[in-house]
Amino acid sequence: MQASHPSRSTRWCALIAGCLGSALVLSACSAGSGGSTAPASSSRAASAVASPISQAPSVDPSSLGGVTLASLGFVNGPQGFRVPDGLEQRQRVDQTNVVTLVVPGSQGEQLYDYLRNALSSLGFTLTAASGDSLIFDAPGWEGAFTMDDQLAGLTLRHL
């Protein structure tokens, strides 16, 4: 009997959820608050299984507004990749093989909506969505986004 292997989408969801979970734990520890231990509610209905997404028609990336990762100081992100203007960077990773941008949860919905509308224009294919998470790719890149009430994270991995 052959063992089944999780799909790339499932692995990315798990990876991003783990990274965001770690960031949330670190954030909670550094905050030092003795607040409620109840889990944060999500702004979108969660789904147990990632589902394929149909692509929106492509438009000129400059018409999307926003700013490039390079203008935010990222050196290693995909050339021309854009995010909404005015995001507050909480944490960041800028390595040759991966870039990650973490913003406050209050900006998660804005970033989620922007990515849903802009990915195809930026040369990425949205391959799955589950609750508050997106998975997408382009030649040479894989990306994922997830959020909760405290933090939202965007990760782009160079292949």
Coordinates of all heavy atoms in Angstrom, one line a residue, residues 64-118:
L64 N -3.4 49.2 -10.6 CA -3.9 48.6 -9.3 C -3.6 49.5 -8.1 O -4.1 49.3 -7.0 CB -3.2 47.3 -9.0 CG -3.4 46.2 -10.1 CD1 -2.5 45.0 -9.8 CD2 -4.9 45.7 -10.1
G65 N -2.8 50.5 -8.3 CA -2.3 51.3 -7.2 C -1.4 50.5 -6.3 O -0.8 49.5 -6.8
G66 N -1.2 50.9 -5.1 CA -0.3 50.2 -4.2 C 1.1 50.5 -4.5 O 1.5 51.5 -5.2
V67 N 2.0 49.8 -3.8 CA 3.5 50.0 -3.9 C 4.2 48.6 -4.1 O 3.6 47.6 -3.8 CB 4.0 50.6 -2.6 CG1 3.4 52.0 -2.4 CG2 3.7 49.8 -1.4
T68 N 5.3 48.7 -4.7 CA 6.1 47.5 -4.9 C 6.8 47.1 -3.6 O 7.1 47.9 -2.7 CB 7.2 47.7 -6.0 OG1 8.1 48.7 -5.6 CG2 6.6 48.1 -7.3
L69 N 7.1 45.8 -3.5 CA 7.9 45.3 -2.4 C 9.2 46.0 -2.3 O 9.7 46.4 -1.3 CB 8.1 43.8 -2.4 CG 6.8 42.9 -2.2 CD1 7.2 41.5 -2.3 CD2 6.2 43.2 -0.8
A70 N 9.8 46.3 -3.5 CA 11.1 47.0 -3.6 C 11.0 48.4 -2.9 O 11.9 48.8 -2.2 CB 11.6 47.1 -5.0
S71 N 9.9 49.1 -3.1 CA 9.7 50.4 -2.5 C 9.6 50.3 -1.0 O 9.8 51.3 -0.3 CB 8.5 51.1 -3.1 OG 7.3 50.6 -2.7
L72 N 9.3 49.1 -0.5 CA 9.2 48.9 1.0 C 10.5 48.4 1.5 O 10.6 48.1 2.7 CB 8.1 47.9 1.3 CG 6.7 48.3 1.0 CD1 5.7 47.1 1.3 CD2 6.3 49.5 1.7
G73 N 11.5 48.4 0.6 CA 12.9 48.0 1.1 C 13.2 46.5 0.9 O 14.3 46.1 1.2
F74 N 12.3 45.7 0.3 CA 12.6 44.3 0.0 C 13.6 44.3 -1.2 O 13.3 44.9 -2.2 CB 11.4 43.5 -0.3 CG 10.6 43.2 0.9 CD1 9.6 44.1 1.4 CD2 10.7 42.0 1.6 CE1 8.8 43.8 2.5 CE2 10.0 41.7 2.8 CZ 9.0 42.6 3.2
V75 N 14.6 43.5 -1.1 CA 15.6 43.3 -2.1 C 15.3 42.0 -2.9 O 15.5 42.0 -4.1 CB 17.0 43.3 -1.6 CG1 18.1 43.0 -2.6 CG2 17.3 44.6 -0.8
N76 N 14.8 41.0 -2.3 CA 14.7 39.7 -2.9 C 13.3 39.3 -3.4 O 13.1 38.1 -3.8 CB 15.2 38.7 -1.9 CG 16.7 38.9 -1.6 OD1 17.5 38.8 -2.5 ND2 17.0 39.3 -0.4
G77 N 12.3 40.1 -3.3 CA 11.0 39.7 -3.8 C 10.9 39.7 -5.3 O 11.8 40.1 -6.0
P78 N 9.8 39.1 -5.8 CA 9.5 39.2 -7.3 C 9.5 40.6 -7.8 O 8.9 41.5 -7.2 CB 8.2 38.5 -7.4 CG 7.9 37.8 -6.1 CD 8.6 38.5 -5.1
Q79 N 10.2 40.8 -8.9 CA 10.2 42.2 -9.5 C 8.8 42.6 -9.8 O 8.0 41.9 -10.4 CB 11.1 42.1 -10.7 CG 11.2 43.5 -11.3 CD 12.2 43.5 -12.5 OE1 12.6 42.4 -13.0 NE2 12.5 44.7 -13.0
G80 N 8.5 43.8 -9.3 CA 7.2 44.4 -9.6 C 6.0 43.9 -8.8 O 4.9 44.4 -8.9
F81 N 6.3 43.0 -7.8 CA 5.2 42.6 -7.0 C 4.7 43.7 -6.1 O 5.4 44.4 -5.5 CB 5.6 41.4 -6.1 CG 4.5 40.7 -5.4 CD1 3.9 39.6 -6.1 CD2 3.9 41.1 -4.2 CE1 2.8 38.9 -5.5 CE2 2.8 40.4 -3.7 CZ 2.3 39.3 -4.3
R82 N 3.3 43.9 -6.1 CA 2.7 45.1 -5.4 C 1.8 44.6 -4.2 O 1.3 43.6 -4.3 CB 1.9 45.9 -6.4 CG 2.7 46.4 -7.6 CD 1.9 47.1 -8.6 NE 1.6 48.5 -8.2 CZ 2.5 49.4 -8.4 NH1 3.7 49.2 -9.0 NH2 2.2 50.7 -8.1
V83 N 1.7 45.5 -3.3 CA 0.8 45.4 -2.1 C 0.2 46.8 -1.9 O 0.6 47.8 -2.5 CB 1.6 44.9 -0.9 CG1 2.2 43.5 -1.0 CG2 2.7 45.9 -0.5
P84 N -0.9 46.8 -1.2 CA -1.6 48.1 -0.9 C -0.6 49.1 -0.2 O 0.2 48.7 0.6 CB -2.7 47.8 0.0 CG -2.9 46.3 -0.1 CD -1.6 45.7 -0.5
D85 N -0.7 50.3 -0.6 CA 0.1 51.4 0.1 C -0.4 51.6 1.5 O -1.6 51.4 1.8 CB -0.1 52.7 -0.7 CG 0.9 53.7 -0.4 OD1 1.9 53.4 0.3 OD2 0.7 54.9 -0.8
G86 N 0.5 51.9 2.4 CA 0.2 52.3 3.8 C 0.2 51.1 4.7 O -0.2 51.3 5.9
L87 N 0.7 49.9 4.3 CA 0.7 48.8 5.3 C 1.8 49.0 6.3 O 2.9 49.6 6.1 CB 1.1 47.5 4.5 CG 0.0 47.0 3.5 CD1 0.5 45.7 2.8 CD2 -1.3 46.7 4.2
E88 N 1.4 48.7 7.5 CA 2.4 48.8 8.7 C 3.1 47.5 8.8 O 2.5 46.4 9.2 CB 1.6 49.1 10.0 CG 2.4 49.1 11.2 CD 1.6 49.2 12.5 OE1 0.5 49.7 12.4 OE2 2.0 48.7 13.5
Q89 N 4.4 47.5 8.6 CA 5.2 46.3 8.6 C 5.5 45.9 10.1 O 6.1 46.7 10.8 CB 6.5 46.4 7.9 CG 6.4 46.6 6.4 CD 7.8 46.7 5.8 OE1 8.6 45.9 6.0 NE2 7.9 47.7 4.9
R90 N 5.0 44.8 10.6 CA 5.2 44.3 11.9 C 6.5 43.5 12.0 O 7.3 43.6 12.9 CB 4.1 43.5 12.4 CG 2.8 44.2 12.8 CD 3.0 44.9 14.2 NE 1.8 45.7 14.5 CZ 0.8 45.3 15.1 NH1 0.7 44.0 15.5 NH2 -0.2 46.1 15.4
Q91 N 6.7 42.6 11.0 CA 7.8 41.8 10.9 C 8.1 41.5 9.4 O 7.2 41.7 8.6 CB 7.6 40.4 11.6 CG 7.4 40.5 13.0 CD 7.1 39.2 13.7 OE1 6.8 38.2 13.0 NE2 7.1 39.1 15.0
R92 N 9.3 41.2 9.1 CA 9.7 40.9 7.7 C 10.9 40.0 7.6 O 11.7 40.0 8.5 CB 10.0 42.2 6.9 CG 11.1 43.0 7.6 CD 11.4 44.3 6.9 NE 12.2 44.2 5.7 CZ 12.0 45.0 4.7 NH1 11.2 46.0 4.7 NH2 12.7 44.8 3.6
V93 N 10.9 39.3 6.5 CA 12.0 38.4 6.2 C 12.4 38.8 4.7 O 11.5 38.9 3.9 CB 11.7 36.9 6.2 CG1 12.8 36.1 5.7 CG2 11.3 36.5 7.7
D94 N 13.6 39.0 4.4 CA 14.1 39.4 3.1 C 15.3 38.6 2.8 O 16.4 39.1 2.9 CB 14.3 40.9 3.0 CG 14.5 41.4 1.6 OD1 14.4 40.5 0.6 OD2 14.8 42.5 1.4
Q95 N 15.1 37.3 2.4 CA 16.3 36.4 2.0 C 16.2 36.1 0.5 O 15.1 36.3 -0.1 CB 16.2 35.1 2.8 CG 16.2 35.4 4.3 CD 16.0 34.1 5.1 OE1 15.5 33.1 4.6 NE2 16.4 34.1 6.4
T96 N 17.3 35.6 0.0 CA 17.3 35.3 -1.4 C 16.2 34.3 -1.8 O 15.7 34.3 -3.0 CB 18.7 34.8 -1.9 OG1 19.0 33.6 -1.1 CG2 19.7 35.8 -1.7
N97 N 15.9 33.3 -0.9 CA 14.9 32.3 -1.3 C 13.5 32.6 -0.8 O 12.6 31.9 -1.2 CB 15.4 30.9 -0.8 CG 15.5 30.9 0.7 OD1 15.7 31.9 1.4 ND2 15.2 29.8 1.3
V98 N 13.3 33.5 0.1 CA 12.0 33.8 0.6 C 11.9 35.2 1.2 O 12.8 35.7 1.7 CB 11.6 32.7 1.7 CG1 12.5 32.9 3.0 CG2 10.1 32.8 2.1
V99 N 10.7 35.8 0.9 CA 10.4 37.1 1.5 C 9.0 36.9 2.2 O 8.1 36.2 1.8 CB 10.3 38.3 0.5 CG1 11.7 38.5 -0.1 CG2 9.3 38.0 -0.5
T100 N 8.9 37.5 3.4 CA 7.7 37.5 4.2 C 7.4 38.9 4.7 O 8.3 39.6 5.2 CB 7.8 36.5 5.3 OG1 8.0 35.2 4.8 CG2 6.5 36.5 6.2
L101 N 6.2 39.3 4.6 CA 5.7 40.6 5.1 C 4.6 40.3 6.1 O 3.6 39.6 5.7 CB 5.2 41.4 4.0 CG 4.5 42.7 4.4 CD1 5.4 43.7 5.1 CD2 3.9 43.4 3.1
V102 N 4.7 40.7 7.4 CA 3.7 40.5 8.4 C 3.1 41.9 8.7 O 3.9 42.8 9.0 CB 4.2 39.8 9.6 CG1 3.2 39.6 10.7 CG2 4.8 38.4 9.2
V103 N 1.8 42.0 8.7 CA 1.2 43.3 9.0 C 0.1 43.0 10.1 O -0.3 41.9 10.4 CB 0.5 43.9 7.7 CG1 1.6 44.2 6.7 CG2 -0.6 43.0 7.2
P104 N -0.4 44.1 10.7 CA -1.4 43.9 11.7 C -2.7 43.3 11.1 O -3.0 43.5 9.9 CB -1.8 45.4 12.2 CG -0.6 46.2 11.7 CD 0.0 45.5 10.5
G105 N -3.4 42.5 11.9 CA -4.6 41.9 11.5 C -5.6 42.8 11.0 O -6.4 42.5 10.1
S106 N -5.6 44.0 11.5 CA -6.6 45.1 11.0 C -6.4 45.4 9.5 O -7.3 46.0 8.9 CB -6.5 46.3 11.9 OG -5.2 46.9 11.8
Q107 N -5.2 45.1 9.0 CA -4.9 45.4 7.6 C -5.0 44.1 6.7 O -4.8 44.2 5.5 CB -3.5 46.0 7.4 CG -3.4 47.4 8.1 CD -2.1 48.0 7.9 OE1 -1.0 47.3 7.8 NE2 -2.0 49.3 7.9
G108 N -5.3 43.0 7.4 CA -5.4 41.7 6.7 C -6.5 41.7 5.6 O -6.2 41.3 4.5
E109 N -7.6 42.2 5.9 CA -8.7 42.2 4.9 C -8.3 43.0 3.6 O -8.6 42.6 2.5 CB -10.0 42.7 5.5 CG -11.2 42.6 4.6 CD -12.0 41.4 4.9 OE1 -11.9 40.8 6.0 OE2 -12.8 41.1 4.1
Q110 N -7.7 44.2 3.9 CA -7.3 45.0 2.8 C -6.3 44.3 1.9 O -6.4 44.3 0.7 CB -6.7 46.3 3.4 CG -6.1 47.2 2.3 CD -5.3 48.4 2.9 OE1 -5.0 48.4 4.1 NE2 -4.9 49.3 2.1
L111 N -5.3 43.6 2.5 CA -4.3 42.9 1.8 C -4.9 41.7 1.1 O -4.6 41.5 -0.1 CB -3.1 42.5 2.7 CG -1.9 41.8 2.1 CD1 -1.4 42.6 0.9 CD2 -0.8 41.6 3.1
Y112 N -5.8 41.0 1.7 CA -6.4 39.8 1.1 C -7.2 40.3 -0.2 O -7.0 39.7 -1.2 CB -7.4 39.2 2.1 CG -8.2 38.1 1.6 CD1 -7.8 36.8 1.8 CD2 -9.4 38.2 0.9 CE1 -8.5 35.7 1.3 CE2 -10.1 37.2 0.5 CZ -9.7 35.9 0.7 OH -10.4 34.8 0.2
D113 N -8.0 41.3 0.0 CA -8.8 41.8 -1.2 C -7.9 42.3 -2.3 O -8.2 42.0 -3.5 CB -9.8 42.9 -0.7 CG -10.9 42.4 0.1 OD1 -11.2 41.2 0.1 OD2 -11.5 43.2 0.9
Y114 N -6.8 43.0 -2.0 CA -5.9 43.5 -3.0 C -5.3 42.3 -3.7 O -5.3 42.3 -5.0 CB -4.8 44.3 -2.3 CG -3.9 45.0 -3.3 CD1 -4.1 46.2 -3.8 CD2 -2.7 44.3 -3.7 CE1 -3.2 46.8 -4.7 CE2 -1.9 44.9 -4.6 CZ -2.1 46.1 -5.1 OH -1.3 46.7 -6.0
L115 N -4.8 41.3 -3.0 CA -4.2 40.2 -3.6 C -5.2 39.4 -4.5 O -4.8 39.0 -5.7 CB -3.6 39.2 -2.6 CG -2.4 39.7 -1.9 CD1 -2.0 38.8 -0.7 CD2 -1.2 40.0 -2.8
R116 N -6.4 39.2 -4.0 CA -7.4 38.5 -4.9 C -7.6 39.2 -6.2 O -7.8 38.6 -7.2 CB -8.7 38.4 -4.1 CG -8.8 37.4 -3.0 CD -8.8 36.0 -3.4 NE -9.9 35.6 -4.4 CZ -10.9 34.9 -4.1 NH1 -11.1 34.4 -2.9 NH2 -11.8 34.5 -5.0
N117 N -7.6 40.5 -6.2 CA -7.8 41.3 -7.4 C -6.6 41.5 -8.2 O -6.7 41.7 -9.4 CB -8.4 42.7 -7.0 CG -9.8 42.6 -6.5 OD1 -10.6 41.8 -6.9 ND2 -10.1 43.4 -5.4
A118 N -5.4 41.5 -7.6 CA -4.2 41.9 -8.3 C -3.3 40.7 -8.8 O -2.5 40.9 -9.7 CB -3.3 42.8 -7.5

